[in-house]
């Protein structure tokens, strides 16, 4: 009886995921649904405290942010996997020794006896409750941890911590190593270390309104130093004459050594004379100290570690010499040594990579069960295609076309990633594959992330394929379908797709909407795949199949910029990879240099000389309009200034995201037709502009852009026969920003820059984790290729033996939970 109740909630959350957590899955809203579901769940016999925990989360769901809704939904789904009814609870009661001492377990806000004391039980009291199961302990609200009341729980919720398990898995963002203990006499300013010293004196001084400075004078026999805290409560912890371990960074104040706000502990044992490695956690308003959060996490871990089950098979753990899960969690939160911390990090990073690889293996396995149409290229077709092009294909392009042709001829659906540097010629490779589909009487579709990029692809493919004909003399028909195509024009395209008259369709997400049906879609190209979720990519693929027995299309994914190897193994791990590692002949390397803002006049003069020689150029700004908060240039105001004061004889255009689609098109066409000399633009020019005559790229406030984005900007020039130049104008002194800009100056190799960008920014910023389908990584670093390779090896080995993970139910549940909300592994 209880299954429909639970399934109903699962269905609602599944729909929410498809709707991207918009809180629109329930007619009448979640408030009404909550009341009905609560009554039905209790009627079905589910334990009241368990139901209340779920209801509490449903209640918070509607008012939460989208990101928090996804997290709350995952918590609810985890609880639904471990339902608790009164019947199941009573089965545990018989196993409890009535003579055992009474213990209290936390249920929501109340403490209730797990086993009632001897004596008559009042009729109004419900049946005895069982000892909590593993799931109950971990899913208990965080208030069940000693020392956490409702106010602290509310603060922790802002960190995404609602349950005991959430608290245990709130991992440190870094660790400060104070394992080296030094004598005060040997301390040097700037060092981060520990000292063991005796407290000689405590002083308090009021500094302004409601601010108290507490100072302690410490001596270790070799010298003295002062430690300062800005909290009146610190004085209560300090006892003169007692020995302490202090950890912090050494500074100088008026020639004296000082520690500002150091971590302090009384010396309780000989072992504490050694230093410590302190975890540093993500914090929020209300919990301003990692020290306090660490104490709460330690309590939660000590109380619940018996309930933590290790999903990793013992054989895998032994084979790769990994810690057990509880040990890893203990050492990540309270490391005893650098070696044990490293072992804990390795274990937790391995798990995340392992779950990713198992999910990727499942995707690949499921795809290989499907059938695709065999698209065999007629003899000489590709050679004739290459001969008709106005340029020669590179060796790399020919190699990749051959790899794709091999895949298309098979009945297993192709899933291939083609990556190459900016301007390496990926589109012509896709066109060759589309021609093979046409020769087999099939249709092709190209999905682009933006209107501008879709229009560029449509123009490019029309030039390449639009001049070719079918065997019966009919010209190949290449059409464009975006949100701007409406009315009779849209209806004509939909009819042409359904009737099979259109051979190639290029479009945006308009291609995956209801009502777009194909006659025989056999080949799909997705450009800039990381801007599309896994689900969107699957929807277009399913457009080619109207039933389980219908073949699914082959799929080619094109990346706008090179992808680091580690990402190719994770986000794109279910794809085979082809690399175009050769640029078209005749391209000259782009000269890239950094400039200070005061050197602008020289750059403007250089751009004027280039324009006088018949060339064109870009000037890029990070903002559309000036901001009071950001001291950076803005395109609209600068366009007016440049037109008025600098480029008075030249023709300047303005391009930014606030223009309508038709206005953007008009500006871009004017620039492409050389009706403009300079295009002043925001980042919308990153993709979609292909003007071989443009030779100069000036990027203002270059530090405000990512490395991959800067490389894309640079790729807008150097597309013709003339020498091109890229100037990075920046006043940045920030170490990371300088490193980013220097990397761009030192190399034009997009593959090297991609690795550097990933190293500097991490996967979330590099791709946009939500869009990529890659689950959030807490401990794994995508630059850690050694651990990634081990996890891939382990996943392949286990998957070969047990593809459904039937023999590893705990691991299967963990993998499903890991991927849930980030893209279906199916």
């Amino acid at each position: 009886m209880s299954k429909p109740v639970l399934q109903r909630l699962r269905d609602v959350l599944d729909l929410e995921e498809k709707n991207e957590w918009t809180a629109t899955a329930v007619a009448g809203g979640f408030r009404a649904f909550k009341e009905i579901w609560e009554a039905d769940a209790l009627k079905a016999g589910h334990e009241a405290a368990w139901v209340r925990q779920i209801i509490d989360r449903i209640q918070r769901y509607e008012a939460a942010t989208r990101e928090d809704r996804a997290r709350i939904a995952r918590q609810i789904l985890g609880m639904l996997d471990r339902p608790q009814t009164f019947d199941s609870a009573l089965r545990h009661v018989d196993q409890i020794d009535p003579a055992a001492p009474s213990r209290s377990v936390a249920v929501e806000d109340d403490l209730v006896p797990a086993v009632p004391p001897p004596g008559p039980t009042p009729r109004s009291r419900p049946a005895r409750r069982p000892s909590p199961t593993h799931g109950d302990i971990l899913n208990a609200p965080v208030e069940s941890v000693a020392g956490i009341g409702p106010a602290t729980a509310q603060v922790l919720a802002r960190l995404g911590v609602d349950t005991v398990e959430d608290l245990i898995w709130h991992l440190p963002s870094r660790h400060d190593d104070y394992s080296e203990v030094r004598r005060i006499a040997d301390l040097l300013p700037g060092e981060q270390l520990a000292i063991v010293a005796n407290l000689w004196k405590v002083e308090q001084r009021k500094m302004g309104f409601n601010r108290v400075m507490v100072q302690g004078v410490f001596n270790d026999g070799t010298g003295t130093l002062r430690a300062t805290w800005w909290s009146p409560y610190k004085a209560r912890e300090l006892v003169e004459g007692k020995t302490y371990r202090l950890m912090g960074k050494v500074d100088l104040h008026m020639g004296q050594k000082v520690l500002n706000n150091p971590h302090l502990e009384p010396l309780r044992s000989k072992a504490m004379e050694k230093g410590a490695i302190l975890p540093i956690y993500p914090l929020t308003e209300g919990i301003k100290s990692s020290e306090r959060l660490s104490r709460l996490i330690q309590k939660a871990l000590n109380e619940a570690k018996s309930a933590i089950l290790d999903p990793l098979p013992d054989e895998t753990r032994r084979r790769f010499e990994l810690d057990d899960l509880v040990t890893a969690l203990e050492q990540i939160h309270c490391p005893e040594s650098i070696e044990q911390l490293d072992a804990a990090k390795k274990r937790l990073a391995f798990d995340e990579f392992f779950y990713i690889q198992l999910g990727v293996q499942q995707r690949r396995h499921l795809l290989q069960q499907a059938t695709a149409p065999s698209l065999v290229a007629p003899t000489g077709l590709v050679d004739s295609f290459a001969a008709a092009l106005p340029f020669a294909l590179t060796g790399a392009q020919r190699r990749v076309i051959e790899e794709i042709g091999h895949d298309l001829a098979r009945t297993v659906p192709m899933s291939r990633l083609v990556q190459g540097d900016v301007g390496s010629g990926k589109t012509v490779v896709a066109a060759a594959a589309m021609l093979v589909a046409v020769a087999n009487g099939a249709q092709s579709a190209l999905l682009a992330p933006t209107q501008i990029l879709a229009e560029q692809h449509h123009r490019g493919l029309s030039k390449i394929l639009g001049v070719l004909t079918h065997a019966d003399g009919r010209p190949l028909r290449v059409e464009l379908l975006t949100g701007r195509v409406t009315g009779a024009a849209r209806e004509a395209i939909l009819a042409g797709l359904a009737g099979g008259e259109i051979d190639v369709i290029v479009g945006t997400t308009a291609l995956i909407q209801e009502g777009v049906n194909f006659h025989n879609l056999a080949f799909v190209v997705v450009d800039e795949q990381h801007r599309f979720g896994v689900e969107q990519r699957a929807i277009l693929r399913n457009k080619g199949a109207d039933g389980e027995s219908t073949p699914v299309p082959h799929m080619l994914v094109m990346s706008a910029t090179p992808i680091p190897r580690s990402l190719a193994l994770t986000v794109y791990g279910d794809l085979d990879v082809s690399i175009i590692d050769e640029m078209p002949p005749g391209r000259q390397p782009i000269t890239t240099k950094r400039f200070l803002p005061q050197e602008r006049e020289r750059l403007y003069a250089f751009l004027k000389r280039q324009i006088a020689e018949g060339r064109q150029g870009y000037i890029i700004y990070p903002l559309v309009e000036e901001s009071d908060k950001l001291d950076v240039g803005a395109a609209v105001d600068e366009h007016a200034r440049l037109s008025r004061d600098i480029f008075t004889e030249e023709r300047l255009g303005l391009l930014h995201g606030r223009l309508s689609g038709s206005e953007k098109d008009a500006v871009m066409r004017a620039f492409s037709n050389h009706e403009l000399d300079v295009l002043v633009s925001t980042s919308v020019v990153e993709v979609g502009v292909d003007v071989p005559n443009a030779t100069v790229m000036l990027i203002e406030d270059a530090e405000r852009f990512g490395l991959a984005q800067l490389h894309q900007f640079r790729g807008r020039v150097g597309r013709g026969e003339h020498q091109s130049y890229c100037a990075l104008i920046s006043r940045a002194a920030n170490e990371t920003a300088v490193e980013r800009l220097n990397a761009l100056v030192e190399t034009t190799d997009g593959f090297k820059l991609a690795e550097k960008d990933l190293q500097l920014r991490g996967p979330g910023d590099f791709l946009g984790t939500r869009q990529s389908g890659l689950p959030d990584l807490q401990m794994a670093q995508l630059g850690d290729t050694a651990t990634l390779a081990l996890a891939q090896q382990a996943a392949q080995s286990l998957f070969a033996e047990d593809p459904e993970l039937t023999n590893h139910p705990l691991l299967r549940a963990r993998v499903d939970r890991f991927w849930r909300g980030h893209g279906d592994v199916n």
Side-chain angles (χ1 to χ4, degrees):
M1 177 180 175
S2 66
K3 184 177 179 182
V5 177
L6 305 188
Q7 191 58 46
R8 198 187 323 154
L9 184 50
R10 284 194 187 97
D11 291 344
V12 166
L13 296 175
D14 286 345
L15 184 55
E16 272 297 291
E17 182 180 349
K18 289 177 182 173
N19 293 344
E20 297 184 348
W21 316 111
T22 54
T24 56
V26 181
F30 276 81
R31 184 174 298 176
F33 172 79
K34 173 192 63 135
E35 294 172 0
I36 296 169
W37 189 88
E38 181 178 14
D40 290 347
L42 292 172
K43 192 184 298 181
H46 287 286
E47 207 272 337
W50 181 81
V51 173
R52 280 204 308 275
Q53 290 179 40
I54 290 181
I55 290 300
D56 177 60
R57 285 160 176 76
I58 296 174
Q59 194 165 326
R60 295 204 309 272
Y61 183 87
E62 203 160 11
T65 63
R66 286 195 185 189
E67 187 174 326
D68 284 343
R69 285 176 189 158
R71 177 178 53 78
I72 293 168
R74 289 195 296 275
Q75 291 173 359
I76 295 173
L77 287 166
M79 295 177 70
L80 292 177
D81 291 339
R82 295 180 287 272
Q84 186 175 354
T85 63
F86 280 119
D87 290 341
S88 64
L90 287 170
R91 280 196 293 273
H92 291 281
V93 173
D94 295 334
Q95 302 169 15
I96 300 172
D97 180 4
S102 173
R103 247 178 355 108
S104 289
V105 293
V107 182
E108 286 295 315
D109 299 324
D110 306 318
L111 280 172
V112 295
V115 181
T121 302
R123 293 184 60 184
S124 60
R125 179 170 293 187
R128 293 178 298 173
R129 300 194 180 169
S131 296
T133 64
H134 291 157
D136 294 332
I137 295 171
L138 294 173
N139 280 318
V142 75
E143 296 98 307
S144 65
V145 177
I148 299 180
T152 302
Q154 198 170 359
V155 173
L156 288 171
R158 293 203 292 267
L159 291 169
V161 173
D162 292 301
T163 66
V164 173
E165 186 173 29
D166 292 338
L167 186 57
I168 291 170
W169 282 96
H170 187 72
L171 302 182
S173 54
R174 72 174 200 271
H175 292 80
D176 284 349
D177 181 8
Y178 299 108
S179 54
E180 183 182 4
V181 177
R182 296 275 289 281
R183 302 187 313 164
I184 291 177
D186 299 333
L187 299 184
L188 296 174
E191 288 185 315
Q192 187 166 283
L193 37 70
I195 64 167
V196 173
N198 188 262
L199 177 59
W200 279 12
K201 186 167 61 172
V202 179
E203 299 173 342
Q204 290 190 64
R205 194 182 309 165
K206 195 163 185 180
M207 308 289 289
F209 178 73
N210 202 26
R211 200 160 185 238
V212 175
M213 180 178 73
V214 176
Q215 280 196 328
V217 179
F218 292 85
N219 184 286
D220 69 349
T222 71
T224 61
L225 63 66
R226 287 180 178 268
T228 303
W229 296 270
W230 294 92
S231 167
Y233 304 107
K234 203 70 184 178
R236 301 177 190 172
E237 299 179 31
L238 299 173
V239 179
E240 292 179 359
K242 202 167 184 178
T243 301
Y244 293 88
R245 178 171 66 179
L246 295 92
M247 291 167 276
K249 185 177 179 181
V250 182
D251 290 320
L252 278 182
H253 178 67
M254 299 180 69
Q256 291 190 331
K257 297 169 187 175
V258 295
L259 292 176
N260 286 314
N261 200 36
H263 178 83
L264 172 136
E265 298 172 309
L267 199 68
R268 299 189 186 93
S269 67
K270 191 75 176 172
M272 288 185 67
E273 291 183 11
K274 299 178 181 177
I277 304 164
L278 300 183
I280 306 300
Y281 294 94
L283 304 174
T284 187
E285 186 67 31
I287 297 185
K288 299 181 179 179
S289 142
S290 283
E291 190 178 343
R292 182 186 173 202
L293 195 51
S294 177
R295 287 197 299 267
L296 297 177
I297 292 171
Q298 288 297 318
K299 286 180 184 176
L301 187 54
N302 289 335
E303 292 173 15
K305 64 183 176 184
S306 62
I308 297 173
L309 304 178
D310 196 335
L312 204 62
D314 290 341
E315 184 183 340
T316 303
R317 195 159 49 79
R318 285 193 297 269
R319 179 182 172 191
F320 294 99
E321 299 179 339
L322 300 168
D323 282 348
D324 65 82
L325 184 55
V326 169
T327 298
L329 287 169
E330 287 176 332
Q331 292 300 319
I332 207 74
H333 287 300
C334 186
E336 295 174 28
S337 68
I338 285 292
E339 292 74 24
Q340 286 170 290
L341 174 60
D342 289 342
K345 286 181 176 178
K346 179 185 176 183
R347 163 61 204 264
L348 297 177
F350 180 93
D351 282 6
E352 292 179 332
F353 283 140
F354 189 52
Y355 302 151
I356 287 176
Q357 290 302 316
L358 286 172
V360 161
Q361 293 290 334
Q362 287 177 349
R363 282 191 206 166
R364 184 182 284 272
H365 175 72
L366 287 168
L367 188 60
Q368 289 175 344
Q369 308 307 306
T371 303
S374 174
L375 305 177
V376 179
T379 304
L381 177 72
V382 174
D383 290 335
S384 301
F385 167 75
L389 293 171
F391 50 84
L393 292 174
T394 64
Q397 286 172 317
R398 285 186 173 276
R399 183 187 72 245
V400 173
I401 289 172
E402 187 176 322
E403 291 170 351
I404 293 170
H406 178 265
D407 285 354
L408 292 176
R410 301 170 64 211
T411 55
V412 174
M414 175 178 74
S415 284
R416 183 169 289 275
L417 167 68
V418 171
Q419 60 166 323
D421 213 336
V422 178
S424 60
K426 296 180 285 290
T427 304
V428 72
V429 168
M434 289 173 170
L435 186 60
V436 173
V438 171
N440 284 268
Q443 296 169 298
S444 299
L446 188 152
L447 178 64
T450 65
Q451 172 91 19
I452 291 175
L453 199 53
E455 290 170 353
Q456 180 188 320
H457 279 306
H458 178 248
R459 285 193 298 270
L461 290 173
S462 295
K463 288 178 186 175
I464 297 171
L465 298 175
V467 298
L468 304 178
T469 60
H470 289 270
D472 60 6
R474 288 181 297 113
L476 266 65
R477 189 173 165 192
V478 182
E479 296 288 355
L480 176 69
L481 181 62
T482 68
R484 292 186 200 161
V485 180
T486 58
R490 176 181 168 82
E491 293 304 318
I493 289 175
L494 294 181
L497 289 174
E501 292 86 12
I502 294 176
D503 301 294
V504 176
I505 186 73
V506 179
T508 55
T509 50
L511 287 179
I512 61 177
Q513 292 174 354
E514 291 290 332
V516 180
N517 298 305
F518 291 83
H519 176 69
N520 180 20
L521 179 62
F523 179 54
V524 169
V525 180
V526 180
D527 193 21
E528 288 205 80
Q529 196 273 341
H530 70 256
R531 298 202 185 182
F532 297 102
V534 176
E535 190 173 324
Q536 288 173 302
R537 156 176 137 187
I539 289 172
L540 183 56
R541 191 165 215 160
N542 292 338
K543 290 278 184 183
D546 54 13
E548 289 186 11
S549 60
T550 308
V552 300
H554 297 279
M555 178 170 283
L556 185 71
V557 171
M558 296 196 302
S559 167
T561 49
I563 295 168
R565 180 175 177 271
S566 54
L567 279 182
L569 289 171
T570 50
V571 180
Y572 304 103
D574 56 331
L575 308 176
D576 297 310
V577 179
S578 292
I579 298 176
I580 304 177
D581 52 6
E582 185 180 350
M583 297 296 283
R587 295 278 178 95
Q588 298 186 50
I590 301 167
T591 300
T592 306
K593 290 185 179 180
R594 283 181 58 199
F595 294 88
L596 294 170
Q598 52 265 39
E599 298 177 282
R600 281 194 190 97
E601 298 303 324
R602 284 176 52 205
L603 294 171
Y604 293 157
F606 176 77
L607 178 53
K608 283 188 172 188
R609 290 196 297 273
Q610 287 282 303
I611 292 169
E613 294 174 14
R615 308 285 84 78
Q616 294 164 274
Y618 303 90
I619 303 178
I620 308 298
Y621 292 91
L623 299 177
V624 177
E625 294 177 343
E626 283 191 10
S627 165
D628 292 334
K629 296 181 180 178
L630 299 173
D631 182 22
V632 294
V636 173
D637 296 317
E638 287 299 299
H639 173 263
R641 182 185 70 83
L642 293 169
S643 301
R644 183 184 65 245
D645 301 335
I646 309 296
F647 297 99
T648 55
E649 304 296 324
E650 291 78 15
R651 301 164 297 175
L652 268 66
L654 176 63
L655 184 68
H656 57 75
R658 293 184 190 171
L659 297 177
S660 68
S662 58
E663 288 171 328
K664 287 178 192 170
D665 296 343
V667 173
M668 286 175 56
R669 271 194 298 271
F671 191 64
S672 298
N673 296 335
H674 204 170
E675 296 166 12
L676 297 170
D677 300 308
V678 179
L679 186 59
V680 177
S681 176
T682 60
S683 60
V684 295
V685 81
E686 178 187 352
V687 292
V689 180
D690 185 6
V691 182
N693 191 51
T695 58
V696 180
M697 171 65 70
L698 306 185
I699 306 174
E700 291 278 1
D701 301 299
E703 75 279 0
R704 299 199 51 86
F705 298 103
L707 190 50
Q709 198 174 23
L710 289 169
H711 186 54
Q712 276 285 342
F713 291 149
R714 179 168 61 181
R716 298 308 103 204
V717 297
R719 305 177 81 87
E721 58 184 309
H722 306 289
Q723 175 65 50
S724 292
Y725 308 88
C726 178
L728 307 172
I729 304 171
S730 172
R731 63 170 69 86
N734 175 276
E735 186 178 338
T736 302
V738 170
E739 190 176 356
R740 190 163 63 237
L741 298 179
N742 285 343
L744 203 75
V745 170
E746 290 163 8
T747 182
T748 57
D749 186 330
F751 289 91
K752 290 181 181 176
L753 290 173
E755 293 287 354
K756 187 70 173 178
D757 199 22
L758 179 63
Q759 174 192 330
L760 290 173
R761 292 198 290 157
D765 289 333
F766 184 91
L767 283 177
T769 303
R770 298 286 172 194
Q771 286 301 310
S772 72
L774 179 68
D776 293 333
L777 300 177
Q778 286 188 279
M779 195 54 59
Q781 300 290 325
L782 286 178
D784 182 6
T785 52
T787 305
L788 176 55
L790 292 179
Q792 186 183 35
Q793 181 185 344
Q796 289 173 344
S797 175
L798 184 65
F799 200 81
E801 299 171 7
D802 186 12
E804 301 296 329
L805 300 182
T806 308
N807 299 326
H808 303 86
L810 192 61
L811 177 60
R812 176 173 180 157
R814 192 70 186 86
V815 171
D816 288 346
R817 182 177 171 188
F818 185 72
W819 280 91
R820 189 179 285 146
H822 300 273
D824 189 352
V825 294
N826 299 327

